[in-house]
Amino acid sequence: MSTTSWDRLLIDATLATFTGDEPYGLIANGAIALHEGRIAWVGRRSDLPANAERDAGIVERVGGALITPGLIDCHTHLVFGGDRAHEFDLRLNGASYEAIARAGGGIVSTVKATRAASEDELLAQSLPRARALLADGVTTVEIKSGYGLNLESERRMLRVARRIGETLGVTVRTTFLGLHALPPEYKERRDDYVALICDEVLPALAAEDLVDAVDAFCENIGFAPAETRRVFECARSLGLPVKLHAEQLSDLEGAALVAEYGGLSADHLEYLSESSIRAMAAAGTTAVLLPGAFYALRETKLPPIASLREHGVAMAIATDCNPGTSPLLSLRLAAGMACTLFRLTPEEALRGVTHHAAGALGLSDRGTLAAGQRADLVVWNVDQPAELCYWIGGDLVHTIYVAGHPIDRR
């Protein structure tokens, strides 16, 4: 490609490419060219083609600032009605997450608030949360349903998720989470509810192109492995990939189950067993770590990080942004928490919110800085990658590019 066709060239940059063998894939005094929404060239500035800096459409010097791929939040429940701050208070006064859920709180209380909200009201409540993620460097976000638990309300949630992407100009991947909780009207009819989800709700929403993947909450207070398998079979028949909330509170071997279906990810994983890790490794299923929920619930059981490393399982990190157990609005903070709470290295954490997070969503066109990749990237007000995990809070973003164009992150 002739350099005269490059739309934009960023020079004098420190590039964390997350490619190659160097830590972070780091390139000092680097340059990156963008063209028609893609990365056209990346490397050392000294290796630029002749006349590149003269011929590119726009040339920007970034003064040695760090550039990374745009961050990817691969597990959120960002669309919901109301909040559950009172449950935070209850937990601090000794109530467990499971006890709150069994008493009618938890997910079911958010279902009531979400069902009562119109589509526009849900959008108005959810957009500030999405903007907070964007302001901190997120350019791709996964958003789950699961607070509607009937066709009309699940459809409304997924439509709002699509509208968030359109409004903010970022990529939104939608995940159908019909098996999130048992709605009150099906309290004594579990089989009927699972049948409703598999036979009616999921097929209808998939036909409307509102679903990119299918998830379930496989847990003692959620849904059993056999019920999860039913929705996975439905997803398979519709050609949809699967992922799973697994091993957060107990070991039901959900991670092995989702691996059996070639799942994109297994998420949470505090009670993950060695045999399930081997299954994930064989299937290429990504482990999504959610330190926000671990922190908010004051958990003490750590995910088996050393074993995941040993077996070469890719580890992603996400906010799990939700009203009850992880009201977290910074993916960069989640990466720092993964370092301090789970003992990941900063490089592992940053790969977990870029390259491995892309894998957890089945996206191969982003998450690294390489020619041909989508030109989603962030210029940071820092000099070295570890600072993104080191600083607790604060505004470190200089500029965000989505598909090669700078965007208003506010």
Side-chain angles (χ1 to χ4, degrees):
M1 179 185 293
S2 167
T3 60
T4 57
S5 65
W6 290 351
D7 299 328
R8 189 180 300 266
L9 177 63
L10 306 179
I11 61 174
D12 189 22
T14 301
L15 304 176
T17 67
F18 299 106
T19 64
D21 298 325
E22 292 296 317
Y24 303 101
L26 209 62
I27 299 175
N29 196 16
I32 184 167
L34 315 180
H35 178 68
E36 293 184 349
R38 299 282 170 179
I39 297 173
W41 189 94
V42 60
R44 293 183 177 85
R45 183 182 178 189
S46 60
D47 294 333
L48 276 168
N51 301 321
E53 295 182 29
R54 184 194 68 188
D55 295 340
I58 298 173
V59 178
E60 297 181 37
R61 295 177 179 272
V62 300
L66 177 71
I67 298 179
T68 71
L71 305 189
I72 299 169
D73 198 347
C74 63
H75 180 132
T76 85
H77 304 255
L78 191 143
V79 174
F80 56 85
D83 65 61
R84 302 218 305 265
H86 65 289
E87 292 183 12
F88 177 66
D89 194 351
L90 289 174
R91 288 199 303 272
L92 290 174
N93 280 283
S96 70
Y97 174 52
E98 186 168 351
I100 291 170
R102 293 194 183 282
I107 294 166
V108 173
S109 65
T110 297
V111 170
K112 182 178 180 180
T114 302
R115 286 179 173 182
S118 69
E119 185 173 317
D120 286 343
E121 287 169 341
L122 275 181
L123 180 66
Q125 291 182 55
S126 303
L127 269 175
R129 296 188 280 268
R131 286 195 173 101
L133 293 176
L134 172 62
D136 207 35
V138 170
T139 56
T140 298
V141 59
E142 184 253 22
I143 300 177
K144 303 180 191 293
S145 68
Y147 293 128
L149 307 185
N150 60 35
L151 177 57
E152 178 187 352
S153 300
E154 291 287 296
R155 177 188 284 125
R156 190 159 62 245
M157 289 187 69
L158 293 168
R159 284 176 54 85
V160 168
R162 292 282 196 232
R163 288 176 65 184
I164 287 171
E166 294 164 1
T167 301
L168 299 184
V170 298
T171 299
V172 169
R173 301 292 286 180
T174 57
T175 297
F176 173 70
L177 183 56
L179 295 194
H180 195 197
L182 198 63
E185 63 270 25
Y186 281 88
K187 186 175 181 181
E188 305 300 331
R189 297 185 292 143
R190 294 184 65 88
D191 286 349
D192 289 346
Y193 179 69
V194 176
L196 173 74
I197 291 299
C198 295
D199 298 341
E200 298 181 32
V201 179
L202 176 52
L205 297 175
E208 296 172 26
D209 195 30
L210 289 173
V211 181
D212 297 320
V214 174
D215 195 351
F217 183 34
C218 187
E219 191 54 74
N220 288 321
I221 61 170
F223 292 87
E227 295 166 329
T228 301
R229 185 180 292 276
R230 287 179 65 182
V231 80
F232 281 2
E233 287 292 335
C234 179
R236 175 180 280 177
S237 72
L238 295 168
L240 293 169
V242 296
K243 50 181 55 192
L244 189 65
H245 288 64
E247 277 74 87
Q248 180 185 10
L249 305 172
S250 62
D251 183 10
L252 298 185
E253 298 185 340
L257 175 60
V258 74
E260 177 186 334
Y261 284 81
L264 294 173
S265 70
D267 304 30
H268 285 292
L269 305 178
E270 281 86 341
Y271 287 82
L272 183 64
S273 69
E274 188 78 9
S275 61
S276 290
I277 291 173
R278 289 195 295 268
M280 291 174 65
T285 298
T286 299
V288 177
L289 307 176
L290 304 172
F294 182 91
Y295 169 83
L297 294 174
R298 296 184 295 167
E299 294 288 355
T300 57
K301 175 74 170 176
L302 291 165
I305 302 300
S307 188
L308 289 167
R309 285 189 187 120
E310 179 185 351
H311 290 279
V313 176
M315 292 182 285
I317 298 163
T319 62
D320 191 20
C321 174
N322 75 73
T325 62
S326 187
L328 177 57
L329 295 175
S330 168
L331 183 55
R332 188 176 62 77
L333 179 55
M337 293 169 74
C339 294
T340 57
L341 298 176
F342 296 163
R343 301 297 190 266
L344 267 66
T345 67
E347 181 177 8
E348 286 175 323
L350 293 177
R351 286 186 185 274
V353 295
T354 54
H355 180 51
H356 294 324
L361 296 180
L363 298 174
S364 60
D365 66 343
R366 66 198 70 195
T368 63
L369 300 181
Q373 290 281 83
R374 180 178 164 92
D376 291 353
L377 49 100
V378 183
V379 182
W380 301 91
N381 289 317
V382 302
D383 299 321
Q384 54 184 316
E387 290 187 65
L388 299 181
C389 298
Y390 163 74
W391 290 109
I392 302 172
D395 183 1
L396 302 185
V397 172
H398 183 277
T399 308
I400 298 173
Y401 294 87
V402 172
H405 299 285
I407 64 170
D408 180 1
R409 60 194 177 95
R410 300 300 180 187

